[in-house]
Amino acid sequence: MTPSISAAMTSPSAPASDAGPSTTPRPRRPSHSTPLPPLLPISSFPTPAPPPHAKPSGYTFYHTTLGSPRHIVAPMVAASELPWRKLSRRIGGADLCYSPMISSSSFVNSLRAKGKSAQRSVLNWFNTATREEGHGQDSKLIIQLAGNDPTVLLEAATHLQSHCLGIDLNLGCPQHIAKRGHYGSFLQEDWPLIHSLISTLHTNLTVPVTAKMRVFPSVEHTIAYARMLEHAGAQIITVHGRTREQKGHKTGLADWEMIRAVKSAVSVPVFANGNVLYREDVEACLSATGADGVMSAEGNLYNPLIFAGEQLLSSLPTSLLPYRDSDASPEAAWRSFPYIPALAHEYLDEVAACRKRVDHSAVKGHMFKICRPALERHKELRGVLGKAQLRYVDAEEREEEAGQGQGEAVVREYREAVSALDEKLTADKQDPLYLQPPKDWGSSSLSASVTEEKYVPHWLAQPYFRPALPLPEEKTKGEKKGEVEKVGVDTRDVQGRGEKRVVDLEEANGGEANEKGNAEDGHKKVRLSEPTTAAQNPILEV
C-alpha cells in the first residue's frame, strides 16, 4: 500500500534545508481544478526491468555525471535553444540546461521520411550534424521529449541519447496545444501510461531518464504521483509548484510546500521550479523546499544573470553591469541587473558564432524579452526591432560542412536595432527623473515571485510582472446570454495568443503535434513580427 502522508513527510532522503514549511508561499488554488485521478498504490504498477546497460542513477547521476547542479535553465519552447543555453552558462551562472521540448512523434516522422526536407526537419528539432548541441560548451545538457506512445518516444530518445546526459519526459506543459496532442500535464490522469513511458526509457536507454511534473491540488496525490515517477525509473524529478490550471493571468504563486513534500517523499534528487524572478529568490527557494537545485524559466529569460554568483558578477565588464560596483542608493540595488543593449549584444555574439542555423522565432522572442522595459519607454523602436531578420545565405550546408558559421552578416540587422536603442537609453541614463519610480509604479501587477517587485530603471533587464486584468463592468442592455462581458480591455487569455501562434507555425509546416513550431519553413509561411505587448508573446514553459 502507498505509505501515509505523515510518513511521506518524514521519510529519509538527501539532506534538506532546516527552513520550515511556514516560510513557503501557499497560493490559493484555481476554483476550476479538474477532478483528481484515483490514487494508485505502487504495488499496482509493474516493476521495471533492470537496464542491460550500466548507467548512473539517482544521486550518483546528480553528483558524478551532472556535477551537482544547483542552477538549471528550464526547457522552453523556442527559447532554451543553443545560443541562449551558452549565454546562460557563460555570463549567467547556469550549471545545467534543458533543450526546448521536442515532439517525439514529429521527430520520428521526420526520421522515417525520405528526402532533404525531412533531413532538414530533423536537424531543426536538434542539430546533430555540427556537433555543437550537446557537445563541448553545451555538454551539460538534458534533452526533453514529449509524447504519449512508449515505442515512438523510445525511438526518438534512442536517436538523441548520444548527444546529451539524460532524457527528460515532459509531464508539465499546461498549454492548449498539449491538451490537443495529449501530452505534458494532460497525461497526469493516466498514471499507468506515464509509468510505461518512463519505464520503457529507463530500461532501454543508455542514459538516465528524468521527469518534469506539475503538482495536484492535493498533497496526497502530488506525493503519490512523484513516487510513481520514481518507481518507474525517473532519476531526477523536477517539480513545478503550480497546478495545470495555473497559467497566463491565472499563474499565481507556485506552492513551495508541495515541492518540499515531494522532496521529503522520494529518494532521488528534486529540482524546484516556480516563483524565481530575482537572484535572492534562488536561495530562498532552495532553503524553503530543500530541493537539490532550482530551475528557472521566465526569470532566466528576462535576466539570464539570475543565477550569477558574486564571483561571476565581479568578472563581468561594467559595460554589461554599469552599477556593479556602486555603493550609493538607489544604484546599489541595481548591481546585478544588466544593461539591455550590452546584454542583447552578448546574445547576438552567441547567435553569430553558431555553425548551425538558429531559429529566427527564438531570436526574435529573446530580443523582445530582453528589450521589453526599454521598448515600453521607446515604443517607436518596436517596429525597427520587429523588422530585423537573420540573414543566412543559401550556401548554409557548405558552411556547416566546413565547420564555420556565417558570422556577423547573420545578425547585422539586429545589431543596428540595438544600437538605435542604445542611443536612446544613453540619453535616458542622464535624466535624474528615472532614478525614482513613478507615482503609479507597481500598482497593477500580478505577483509570480515571493520577493516584492522592485523598481529598476527601464535601461536594465528585469523580471516581467503580468499586469492585472480590470474587473468586468456590467453588461450592456443589448447583450444576450453567452456574450462576452464588456470590459476595459480584451480579457481573452493572452497565453492563448501565443499558443495559437505555435499552432499556426506547426500547421504551416505540416507537422503532427509540432509543439516547438520551429520547422525550417515556418517563418517563411507565417509572418513573425513584434508582439503588441510583452504578455502577448508568452513563454511556453514546459
Side-chain angles (χ1 to χ4, degrees):
M1 295 180 60
T2 303
S4 66
I5 297 306
S6 59
M9 296 293 290
T10 58
S11 61
S13 62
S17 165
D18 292 333
S22 61
T23 65
T24 63
R26 290 310 308 259
R28 290 186 299 175
R29 296 295 178 200
S31 59
H32 57 285
S33 297
T34 54
L36 294 173
L39 277 174
L40 300 176
I42 291 298
S43 59
S44 66
F45 298 98
T47 301
H53 317 284
K55 56 183 178 182
S57 61
Y59 277 96
T60 300
F61 174 51
Y62 172 77
H63 290 302
T64 305
T65 305
L66 299 181
S68 307
R70 302 274 278 179
H71 304 143
I72 301 103
V73 174
M76 295 169 285
V77 173
S80 58
E81 88 294 351
L82 177 63
W84 191 259
R85 298 195 301 263
K86 292 173 65 178
L87 179 77
S88 296
R89 294 186 185 98
R90 180 170 60 84
I91 69 172
D95 302 317
L96 176 68
C97 295
Y98 282 60
S99 76
M101 174 183 64
I102 298 175
S103 163
S104 58
S105 58
S106 295
F107 185 79
V108 168
N109 287 341
S110 297
L111 285 176
R112 294 173 180 175
K114 298 180 181 180
K116 290 185 177 180
S117 61
Q119 295 173 5
R120 176 62 61 85
S121 180
V122 171
L123 295 181
N124 282 332
W125 286 110
F126 190 90
N127 193 312
T128 59
T130 64
R131 294 191 67 79
E132 293 175 286
E133 297 203 78
H135 301 276
Q137 297 178 23
D138 194 43
S139 60
K140 291 296 178 68
L141 177 70
I142 290 178
I143 295 177
Q144 188 185 70
L145 296 177
N148 56 31
D149 185 318
T151 302
V152 174
L153 189 68
L154 178 60
E155 184 174 349
T158 300
H159 184 84
L160 293 167
Q161 65 180 341
S162 61
H163 302 279
C164 61
L165 299 178
I167 296 291
D168 184 72
L169 178 61
N170 174 5
L171 298 173
C173 184
Q175 310 304 334
H176 176 74
I177 191 173
K179 182 177 182 179
R180 192 184 76 166
H182 191 53
Y183 65 84
S185 65
F186 293 93
L187 296 178
Q188 68 182 24
E189 282 78 32
D190 194 344
W191 293 16
L193 174 58
I194 292 174
H195 191 279
S196 176
L197 292 171
I198 294 177
S199 62
T200 297
L201 297 182
H202 172 63
T203 299
N204 293 282
L205 295 181
T206 59
V207 297
V209 181
T210 66
K212 185 172 187 287
M213 59 171 274
R214 284 193 171 227
V215 300
F216 289 89
S218 155
V219 66
E220 184 180 16
H221 278 78
T222 300
I223 288 176
Y225 186 52
R227 282 178 164 160
M228 180 272 293
L229 301 180
E230 179 183 16
H231 180 267
Q235 303 305 313
I236 292 177
I237 299 174
T238 298
V239 184
H240 188 155
R242 295 183 174 94
T243 64
R244 185 170 64 196
E245 291 75 26
Q246 289 181 270
K247 62 179 181 178
H249 278 279
K250 300 173 183 176
T251 295
L253 285 174
D255 191 338
W256 283 355
E257 287 190 18
M258 283 283 200
I259 301 175
R260 186 179 184 86
V262 171
K263 170 62 183 171
S264 299
V266 299
S267 60
V268 296
V270 170
F271 294 157
N273 183 210
N275 300 347
V276 177
L277 295 182
Y278 293 109
R279 286 179 67 240
E280 52 265 45
D281 293 338
V282 176
E283 290 304 319
C285 181
L286 288 170
S287 177
T289 64
D292 301 280
V294 171
M295 178 180 284
S296 176
E298 286 197 354
N300 163 262
L301 289 183
Y302 286 101
N303 180 6
L305 274 66
I306 191 169
F307 290 136
E310 291 299 323
Q311 184 175 357
L312 178 56
L313 290 177
S314 65
S315 69
L316 298 175
T318 53
S319 58
L320 179 64
L321 294 172
Y323 303 106
R324 185 193 63 197
D325 301 324
S326 177
D327 295 324
S329 178
E331 291 92 338
W334 307 333
R335 57 188 306 273
S336 63
F337 296 96
Y339 181 51
I340 285 173
L343 177 60
H345 283 306
E346 292 281 357
Y347 172 62
L348 293 174
D349 287 345
E350 298 291 358
V351 174
C354 279
R355 298 194 299 275
K356 63 163 282 184
R357 177 175 293 207
V358 181
D359 175 67
H360 179 223
S361 65
V363 176
K364 183 76 71 180
H366 282 305
M367 294 301 289
F368 270 97
K369 290 179 182 70
I370 290 172
C371 299
R372 180 196 59 80
L375 293 176
E376 288 183 356
R377 178 69 57 181
H378 297 287
K379 293 181 173 62
E380 72 278 8
L381 293 180
R382 292 182 65 86
V384 177
L385 184 58
K387 292 176 182 177
Q389 300 285 325
L390 297 178
R391 299 297 179 183
Y392 287 101
V393 299
D394 292 338
E396 179 201 4
E397 293 85 356
R398 291 195 296 272
E399 294 283 356
E400 288 185 353
E401 289 173 3
Q404 298 178 356
Q406 298 186 35
E408 280 299 310
V410 173
V411 298
R412 178 181 54 81
E413 294 181 17
Y414 279 104
R415 296 280 197 201
E416 292 173 354
V418 173
S419 295
L421 185 60
D422 187 16
E423 184 177 349
K424 296 282 188 180
L425 297 180
T426 298
D428 290 348
K429 288 191 292 183
Q430 307 306 314
D431 190 340
L433 176 67
Y434 296 125
L435 296 181
Q436 301 296 330
K439 293 181 180 180
D440 61 348
W441 173 82
S443 60
S444 59
S445 296
L446 295 176
S447 178
S449 169
V450 296
T451 303
E452 184 178 353
E453 184 179 0
K454 305 174 182 179
Y455 172 72
V456 179
H458 62 274
W459 53 81
L460 300 177
Q462 56 195 272
Y464 171 62
F465 287 81
R466 291 179 177 86
L469 289 175
L471 295 175
E473 300 174 2
E474 292 184 3
K475 289 186 178 181
T476 60
K477 293 181 180 180
E479 287 181 321
K480 298 179 181 179
K481 184 178 180 180
E483 290 182 335
V484 178
E485 294 182 347
K486 182 181 179 183
V487 294
V489 298
D490 185 352
T491 58
R492 290 174 298 176
D493 183 3
V494 293
Q495 188 80 21
R497 296 170 183 158
E499 296 167 23
K500 183 179 184 302
R501 178 175 171 276
V502 176
V503 172
D504 288 344
L505 281 168
E506 73 173 44
E507 291 177 348
N509 296 321
E512 175 189 354
N514 180 348
E515 298 90 354
K516 182 180 176 186
N518 286 344
E520 177 63 21
D521 295 334
H523 62 80
K524 298 177 183 177
K525 297 180 180 179
V526 180
R527 181 176 180 268
L528 296 178
S529 60
E530 74 278 15
T532 304
T533 68
Q536 290 176 3
N537 187 22
I539 298 124
L540 300 187
E541 181 191 350
V542 293

